Amino acid sequence: MDMPKLPIDKKYLPMIIAAVAGLVAVYLINIYIQQTADETRKREQERRKELATVVIAKQDIASGTAIKDTMVKEEIISKSLIQPRAASSLDRVVDRITIAPISKGEQVLLNKVTLSGEAVSLSTKIPRGKRAITIPVDNISSVGGMIRPGDHVDVVSMIPIPGIGQDGKPSNQMNTTPLFQDVLVLAVGQEYAAVPGGQKGEKRQTPIITLALAPQEANLIAFIQEQGRIRLILRSPGDSGSERIAPANWESVLRMTIPEMFERGEEAPAPKPRKTVEIYRGLQKEVKPLD
């Protein structure tokens, strides 16, 4: 049985078509808005993954100062701009004492602050994965006693390398070799916190300096101490990282000072031997240069 067809007035047909088109448009717009919102939310989530919280100094903070919550603040910045060992929350730095000056706007690094009061000990200053090794001052140069805890130094060894001299006899040549770069100074003598007020502290001669080295590095430097001498080179606070440095000996010195001689293929002149005299006091022998 056929359903009766309802009569539709032709004058309402444009309105019906417009209403249907409007509903379709609203539906499509809602889909577009939803997709746009999803993409925006996804981009925001990805952006947040690249951000992290870091503690920033609101003012200049001198060494030896107890940090208050009014001196620092938390900021959200890109992870690529965060420095190594930067504090990620205020509770990690508030009420702690600075062992190095911190400038306004600078990220507060954990190696620039220490615990306060009786809780301070040398073990709390050793970075994770490092070991503390002490070097006697009579075996090193400590930059005139100017090295302080928290400084970074380069470690250079001076050891005799066995070889054969021009006369065919065994001889040793002193060789200066860079061992480690950008090494943290943990303590100078019994002092393992920076002197409050920076340079206002009285300079004192100390018999030992303690460095933070990896276990294998500490083992190597202990061996070098028994074989030769060690020198420390003080680094600038703004200088970080390391670079490749060739060992220094007579050949490298002459290559730097007389490069044209090596370009011509000439043989490097051997160092002129010094004239000496042997002095015997009983069973002890002493060799002194005549020049």
Side-chain angles (χ1 to χ4, degrees):
M1 180 177 178
D2 295 336
M3 296 292 295
K5 295 182 179 180
L6 298 176
I8 299 177
D9 195 338
K10 290 184 178 182
K11 68 178 181 180
Y12 296 114
L13 186 60
M15 298 177 61
I16 295 173
I17 295 175
V20 172
L23 292 174
V24 173
V26 171
Y27 175 75
L28 295 177
I29 290 174
N30 286 335
I31 293 178
Y32 174 76
I33 293 176
Q34 184 64 35
Q35 291 178 345
T36 303
D38 292 342
E39 292 178 359
T40 301
R41 185 163 50 252
K42 184 178 179 181
R43 286 196 298 267
E44 181 66 19
Q45 291 176 352
E46 292 177 353
R47 189 181 70 88
R48 288 182 178 276
K49 291 180 180 179
E50 299 299 324
L51 300 177
T53 303
V54 67
V55 178
I56 304 293
K58 296 169 61 176
Q59 63 184 61
D60 292 338
I61 305 176
S63 177
T65 302
I67 300 178
K68 304 299 181 184
D69 55 2
T70 57
M71 300 178 180
V72 290
K73 63 180 179 179
E74 292 182 355
E75 284 190 2
I76 299 177
I77 63 175
S78 173
K79 289 182 179 180
S80 61
L81 300 178
I82 296 180
Q83 301 180 15
R85 305 202 67 191
S88 58
S89 60
L90 293 179
D91 58 359
R92 301 200 65 182
V93 299
V94 172
D95 294 332
R96 296 199 174 191
I97 298 175
T98 59
I99 59 175
I102 302 176
S103 302
K104 180 180 179 180
E106 180 183 349
Q107 297 179 21
V108 180
L109 307 182
L110 294 178
N111 60 348
K112 286 191 174 184
V113 299
T114 185
L115 301 176
S116 59
E118 299 297 329
V120 178
S121 68
L122 180 59
S123 62
T124 62
K125 295 174 61 62
I126 302 176
R128 185 180 299 274
K130 299 289 186 178
R131 302 293 186 271
I133 181 169
T134 298
I135 304 174
V137 139
D138 58 3
N139 222 18
I140 66 172
S141 170
S142 57
V143 195
M146 293 297 180
I147 294 181
R148 288 292 179 263
D151 288 340
H152 285 73
V153 297
D154 292 345
V155 182
V156 177
S157 70
M158 302 178 64
I159 55 176
I161 303 298
I164 303 298
Q166 292 185 343
D167 55 359
K169 297 182 179 180
S171 64
N172 294 333
Q173 182 184 23
M174 189 60 67
N175 191 298
T176 301
T177 305
L179 290 179
F180 317 114
Q181 299 185 44
D182 202 13
V183 177
L184 172 65
V185 177
L186 292 175
V188 179
Q190 299 297 320
E191 177 187 342
Y192 48 85
V195 178
Q199 298 298 328
K200 295 180 181 179
E202 180 184 357
K203 184 179 73 173
R204 294 175 294 176
Q205 296 297 327
T206 176
I208 55 175
I209 289 181
T210 304
L211 305 176
L213 294 172
Q216 183 60 35
E217 295 172 342
N219 189 41
L220 179 60
I221 204 171
F223 171 78
I224 294 295
Q225 287 185 81
E226 299 298 326
Q227 306 300 319
R229 292 178 293 171
I230 293 174
R231 294 288 184 265
L232 298 184
I233 303 174
L234 185 62
R235 298 173 65 99
S236 166
D239 185 13
S240 61
S242 60
E243 57 181 294
R244 184 176 180 83
I245 303 176
N249 49 34
W250 278 113
E251 180 179 351
S252 63
V253 171
L254 294 175
R255 282 185 180 275
M256 178 177 291
T257 57
I258 319 176
E260 61 275 6
M261 180 182 65
F262 288 89
E263 293 176 358
R264 295 194 302 265
E266 297 181 6
E267 185 178 351
K272 184 178 180 181
R274 303 175 67 183
K275 295 181 180 180
T276 59
V277 60
E278 297 180 356
I279 302 174
Y280 289 87
R281 294 185 176 92
L283 299 177
Q284 295 183 349
K285 182 179 74 172
E286 182 181 359
V287 180
K288 288 189 174 181
L290 291 177
D291 54 352

